[in-house]
Amino acid sequence: MTRTTAVPETVTIHVPFHVVKRGGRKEMQMPEGAAQPRKTDSTLLKALARAFRWKRMLESGEFTTIAELAAREGIAPSYMTRVLRLTLLAPDIVEVILDGKPASDVSLARGLEPFPLEWDYQRRSFD
């Protein structure tokens, strides 16, 4: 005769958190002292991906001007120009952004502001 042990149908797990509103969205906030995973800035990632895609389209000759490409994408040429500047970031800064580990002050808004073209100055600026 085989004996089987009863397996509970439900399992209850207690996770301490509370819900806070941020910009009209609800977010879970962990208790003080709990390790907080760093959130990936998806807007910055998308902008970076678009910038490199647009750069490739311009360099390939598919589009001859930023104005032409911006019209096709349905955005203002001035915005496209600011986003395209992201392709001038130092490779290690781009890698850190892609890994989801940028410094806390690195955001899309910050990336669209003027920044130095020299990579050493960029590193100091984005630290």
Side-chain angles (χ1 to χ4, degrees):
M1 179 163 159
T2 48
R3 293 174 64 185
T4 59
T5 56
V7 177
E9 291 187 27
T10 59
V11 175
T12 304
I13 299 174
H14 177 73
V15 179
F17 71 90
H18 59 276
V19 178
V20 294
K21 280 191 171 186
R22 292 187 194 266
R25 295 187 334 192
K26 291 181 182 176
E27 214 175 78
M28 289 190 322
Q29 189 172 44
M30 301 302 285
E32 191 89 17
Q36 300 276 344
R38 178 167 267 163
K39 269 190 156 179
T40 303
D41 185 351
S42 62
T43 58
L44 180 57
L45 284 174
K46 286 178 189 175
L48 200 55
R50 286 184 182 132
F52 280 98
R53 182 173 64 89
W54 293 338
K55 179 182 178 192
R56 193 172 53 252
M57 293 166 90
L58 289 165
E59 288 175 343
S60 73
E62 186 177 346
F63 293 90
T64 54
T65 66
I66 289 174
E68 181 185 353
L69 179 55
R72 158 91 178 333
E73 295 286 317
I75 60 173
S78 60
Y79 175 74
M80 180 173 277
T81 301
R82 289 194 316 270
V83 173
L84 277 165
R85 291 186 72 244
L86 294 173
T87 64
L88 303 175
L89 285 171
D92 54 313
I93 295 174
V94 171
E95 192 172 323
V96 166
I97 292 169
L98 294 176
D99 288 343
K101 301 173 188 167
S104 59
D105 67 334
V106 177
S107 65
L108 178 58
R110 176 93 164 74
L112 296 182
E113 293 172 1
F115 56 81
L117 296 180
E118 297 83 13
W119 291 349
D120 288 333
Y121 292 119
Q122 286 178 13
R123 290 180 188 104
R124 285 184 233 141
S125 168
F126 286 104
D127 265 348

